[in-house]
Amino acid sequence: MGYISELRKLIGSRPIISIGATILVVNDDKKILFQHRSDTLDWGLPGGSMELNETLEEVAARELHEETGLVANEFDLIGVFSGPDYYFQYSNGDEIYTVIHLYVAKNVRGVLEMKDGESLNLTYFSKNELPENLEKRTKTLLDNLEDKMWDLGSSFAKY
């Protein structure tokens, strides 16, 4: 059981602050990996909340592997995002204000694999072909970064 789940047992659905990592994986065609989420049925970026005793880079590595099957050994911090635009309410009523540390993964290897049940699909999209049903926080991140995130180099290790 994770930190947030344990905390929820004590406080119920009341709003909490969650620190976490969101990961950009860029392929050689400068497309970014998106996850079709099983909980909200919209599209977002891989990522999740910090557990006790983790660094943010460890969160990024763990969530990337759990949600996509990919492995990375290096992450570059793009920025930190917080405030009312990053509020989220889950379908069960749990409320959360997220503090998102957005990373681009470097030296990525592996094969896409939906491992944890949190994804219905994993697909790379260019900025001109994004799905219509983007998760609100993901859309806000994309809007805040404008074209910067699409100019990132490939995440994948070169052999």
Side-chain angles (χ1 to χ4, degrees), residues 55-135:
T55 68
L56 284 163
E57 291 78 11
E58 289 170 339
V59 175
R62 176 179 52 78
E63 289 289 345
L64 179 65
H65 186 256
E66 287 176 1
E67 294 182 358
T68 71
L70 299 175
V71 175
N73 60 6
E74 184 181 344
F75 297 90
D76 288 343
L77 181 64
I78 302 295
V80 179
F81 303 87
S82 60
D85 288 340
Y86 298 97
Y87 166 84
F88 187 77
Q89 184 173 24
Y90 290 92
S91 60
N92 68 356
D94 289 353
E95 296 180 70
I96 194 163
Y97 286 87
T98 52
V99 180
I100 297 173
H101 295 76
L102 182 63
Y103 289 94
V104 60
K106 297 291 185 183
N107 300 314
V108 175
R109 57 200 180 283
V111 177
L112 286 178
E113 178 184 3
M114 295 176 285
K115 298 177 67 140
D116 65 359
E118 292 185 26
S119 303
L120 298 173
N121 194 358
L122 298 167
T123 303
Y124 289 91
F125 290 101
S126 70
K127 70 178 177 179
N128 298 324
E129 61 177 14
L130 292 174
E132 290 182 21
N133 57 335
L134 284 176
E135 192 268 326

Side-chain angles (χ1 to χ4, degrees), residues 11-30:
I11 66 162
S13 292
R14 292 177 32 204
I16 61 172
I17 296 170
S18 173
I19 309 296
T22 298
I23 305 98
L24 296 174
V25 177
V26 184
N27 71 10
D28 291 337
D29 295 327
K30 293 197 175 192

Side-chain angles (χ1 to χ4, degrees), residues 128-143:
N128 298 324
E129 61 177 14
L130 292 174
E132 290 182 21
N133 57 335
L134 284 176
E135 192 268 326
K136 178 183 143 310
R137 294 169 296 174
T138 298
K139 181 167 180 0
T140 302
L141 280 174
L142 296 177
D143 291 346

